[in-house]
Amino acid sequence: MNLKDAFLSLDNYFSPRIIGEVNDQYIKVVKIKGQEVPWHIHENEDELFYIAKGVLLMEIENQPDVKLKKGDLFVVNKGRNHRVSSEEECLLMLIESKTTEHTGKIKSAITKSVDQQFY
C-alpha cells in the first residue's frame, strides 16, 4: 500500500477511509479543511493522529490549543473532549480502535458510520 495513493483516492473532506487493520485497530486516511468537526469525546478509546500534509489545529477542552504540522504525531486520550480543524487542506492518518465512533456520540452532517468508511 502506498499512503500517498490512499490520500489521492479521497474525494470528500471529513470522510475517513479505512485502509487497513492492525489487531483491533483501524488505519484510516482523511482530508479536512475548515471547522466541520464538532466537539466530541471517545469515552473508551484513544485516537492517534499523524499529519501527512498541512497544519491541524487540535483543540482539547481545558488545555492550550496545539498546531500540528506535517510529520507530527498526536494522541488524544480517551475521555477528552476535543475537535480538530484546518484553514487549508490537511491530510491525516488516524489509528483508532474498531469501536471508535467517528464523532463520538455527537451526530452531525459529517458523521460517518464504520460501514460508510469502507471503500
Side-chain angles (χ1 to χ4, degrees), residues 1-70:
M1 174 181 303
N2 182 284
L3 195 54
K4 183 177 178 181
D5 291 343
F7 284 118
L8 290 174
S9 71
L10 297 173
D11 295 324
N12 301 310
Y13 291 114
F14 306 106
S15 188
R17 178 176 180 219
I18 296 169
I19 61 170
E21 299 179 38
V22 177
N23 300 315
D24 292 331
Q25 307 291 311
Y26 283 133
I27 302 166
K28 303 177 182 182
V29 292
V30 65
K31 67 179 179 178
I32 72 167
K33 182 178 179 182
Q35 300 179 350
E36 302 300 316
V37 178
W39 282 97
H40 64 283
I41 297 172
H42 304 292
E43 302 259 345
N44 301 304
E45 303 97 357
D46 297 333
E47 188 175 27
L48 182 142
F49 290 79
Y50 171 76
I51 291 60
K53 174 188 170 189
V55 176
L56 181 76
L57 177 63
M58 174 65 68
E59 296 175 88
I60 299 176
E61 191 173 54
N62 299 319
Q63 290 187 8
D65 296 348
V66 178
K67 282 197 175 182
L68 304 166
K69 298 177 184 124
K70 180 180 177 180

Side-chain angles (χ1 to χ4, degrees), residues 92-104:
L92 308 171
M93 181 178 70
L94 307 170
I95 299 178
E96 303 175 327
S97 298
K98 291 180 178 180
T99 57
T100 303
E101 296 178 282
H102 181 213
T103 54

